[in-house]
Amino acid sequence: MSRIGKKAVELPSGVSASVSGQSIEVKGPKGTRSFTATDDVTITVEDNLVKVDPRGKSKRARQQWGMSRTMVQNLVTGVTQGFKKELEIQGVGYRAQMQGNTLKLNLGYSHDVDVVAPEGVTITAPKQTEIVVEGNDQQLVGEVAAKIRDWRRPEPYKGKGIRYKGEFIFRKEGKKK
C-alpha cells in the first residue's frame, strides 16, 4: 500500500487541473505544466483535489501509484511557487556574470564558459559568486544547475569549484612530507 499515493493532491486557489485520458494539465500563475501517466494508474479530479489510484494489485501499478502522485504534486508546486536551485562559486578568480540570456563563467580555464538558459528556466547572478536557477519544471531546473556545476566541481583539497548552496564537501588532507 503506497502511503504517498493514498494522499490526494490539493489544488490551491488560482490553480486548475484538467484530465484527458492519462494526461493531466495544471494551469497556475507561473504557467502551464502537463504530465502523462502510465496505464497502471487512474487520475481523477474532484472539486479541488487530484486523486491517483492504481489500476490493479501488480507491483508495477503500486510503484507507479506513488510516483505519479508525486509528479502531480510537483506540477502544482511548479505552477504556484516554482523551483529554485542556488549555487555558490568558491576559488580565486572564479566568477559569474549575466549577459542577456547567457551566463558567463570565469572558472580558471583559458576561455570563458557560456551557459545559455533554456526555455522555461531563468538564470541570475545576484553576486559574482552566486548563481540562482529558477523555473516551474523541477527536472529542468535541476538539470541546468547540475550542468553548471559540472563545469568545475568542488575539489576535496581546497574546496574550489561550483557547489550547491549548503552542500558539504568532504575535505581531504594534503600529502605529508
Side-chain angles (χ1 to χ4, degrees), residues 9-20:
V9 178
E10 197 172 323
L11 296 174
S13 61
V15 176
S16 63
S18 59
V19 177
S20 61

Side-chain angles (χ1 to χ4, degrees), residues 75-133:
L75 295 183
V76 173
T77 307
V79 298
T80 53
Q81 301 161 2
F83 293 100
K84 179 179 180 180
K85 285 273 189 187
E86 296 180 19
L87 299 151
E88 307 174 319
I89 301 175
Q90 282 193 344
V92 178
Y94 290 4
R95 59 181 155 266
Q97 59 190 9
M98 288 300 297
Q99 285 186 347
N101 197 26
T102 306
L103 175 71
K104 282 206 171 294
L105 297 169
N106 258 359
L107 298 173
Y109 294 120
S110 60
H111 55 86
D112 285 354
V113 175
D114 294 344
V115 179
V116 178
E119 185 100 10
V121 173
T122 56
I123 302 174
T124 54
K127 295 182 191 168
Q128 285 189 338
T129 58
E130 284 183 17
I131 303 167
V132 178
V133 182

Side-chain angles (χ1 to χ4, degrees), residues 9-16 25-35 69-85 120-122 133-142:
V9 178
E10 197 172 323
L11 296 174
S13 61
V15 176
S16 63
E25 189 174 85
V26 181
K27 291 179 183 150
K30 290 201 176 219
T32 304
R33 298 270 304 119
S34 63
F35 166 69
R69 188 257 179 213
T70 305
M71 292 296 284
V72 172
Q73 178 65 58
N74 287 342
L75 295 183
V76 173
T77 307
V79 298
T80 53
Q81 301 161 2
F83 293 100
K84 179 179 180 180
K85 285 273 189 187
V121 173
T122 56
V133 182
E134 293 175 300
N136 64 1
D137 184 353
Q138 185 181 29
Q139 192 270 330
L140 192 59
V141 168

